[in-house]
Amino acid sequence: MAESVHILSTWNSLFGHRVQIALAEKGVEFEYTQEDLSNKSPLLLQSNPVHKKIPVLIHNGRPICESLIIVEYIDEVWTDRSPLLPKDPYQRANARFWVDYVDKKLYPGWVGILWSTGEAREAAKKEFIECLKVLEGELKDKPFFGGDTFGFVDIALITFSGWFSVYKIDGYFNVEEECPTLMRWVKRCGERESVSKMLPDASKLYDFMVSTRKKLET
Ligand code: GS8
């Protein structure tokens, strides 16, 4: 029986992009369904009945939820190419620590920049930049977070990078000035087809941010 690999996501989901990049790194073809989160499909509700969120990976009819869990699953299923997590237990734990940091500390800043106004937005921006600097400190002079090869932490973080361009276009702040080493890493990751093909254009994200913020202001 042919293998079936299906993603439920949205074009602008940085969580969904993680799954798309991981599959592209493994060279796995997939079917993609764009969800309308204001009118979730029966397939999404049935596949993720607890959180009712995208992304969901449906592999041979069985759903897996939560982007980081999905990326680990992908790495465990397609073991014969492009390992994403390190083999060494200590290094694996370390990679999991940093992806957890991205979701617990960086993501709330991103949400605040998109959805809040005034002082709250400024506080979110400050938090976001502080987290990026911590991550830059962890990257140091390595090409990728895990060392020489692109992996789990790179996948978890690179999906935020389209938004760095959005903040620059918007004149809100310039990540390159705050974190030049991290921006060199962004460029390095962008040279990979898995990343450049799966991440949306900054101009499309920018239009999305402008329309979201317009709604907030009315
Ligand atoms: C977050 C998924 C999420 O927030 C993960 O997969 O890593 N921890 C989860 N999904 C959002 C869209 S974010 O682009 C979602 O599905 N929201 C719909 C809703 O909350 O109703």
Side-chain angles (χ1 to χ4, degrees), residues 52 89 111 213:
K52 306 178 176 62
V111 171
R213 297 198 57 75

Side-chain angles (χ1 to χ4, degrees), residues 17 25 37 43 61 67 102 106 141-143 185:
H17 299 148
E25 280 291 323
L37 295 181
L43 182 59
S67 62
V102 168
L106 187 71
D141 53 1
K142 293 175 289 188
W185 165 84

Side-chain angles (χ1 to χ4, degrees), residues 24-104:
E25 280 291 323
K26 296 283 184 180
V28 176
E29 289 193 11
F30 57 87
E31 182 190 344
Y32 175 90
T33 299
Q34 170 75 22
E35 279 288 330
D36 172 1
L37 295 181
S38 62
N39 180 24
K40 294 173 184 170
S41 71
L43 182 59
L44 172 59
L45 297 174
Q46 171 196 321
S47 305
N48 189 353
V50 175
H51 297 304
K52 306 178 176 62
K53 290 186 181 196
I54 53 96
V56 176
L57 176 74
I58 307 175
H59 183 210
N60 294 334
R62 296 193 299 181
I64 305 104
C65 305
E66 290 291 314
S67 62
L68 296 174
I69 294 173
I70 300 172
V71 173
E72 287 210 38
Y73 173 84
I74 290 169
D75 202 32
E76 285 169 6
V77 170
W78 289 278
T79 48
D80 55 329
R81 54 214 123 138
S82 312
L84 302 176
L85 273 94
K87 289 262 172 301
D88 173 69
Y90 180 76
Q91 300 298 340
R92 281 173 90 84
N94 208 35
R96 289 186 178 121
F97 171 86
W98 286 111
V99 299
D100 185 59
Y101 179 83
V102 168
D103 277 12
K104 286 200 182 121

Side-chain angles (χ1 to χ4, degrees), residues 17-25 150 155 158-159 194 198-199:
H17 299 148
R18 290 172 172 172
V19 178
Q20 291 172 249
I21 292 172
L23 287 173
E25 280 291 323
F150 180 82
I155 291 179
I158 196 60
T159 59
S194 64
M198 295 302 164
L199 292 188

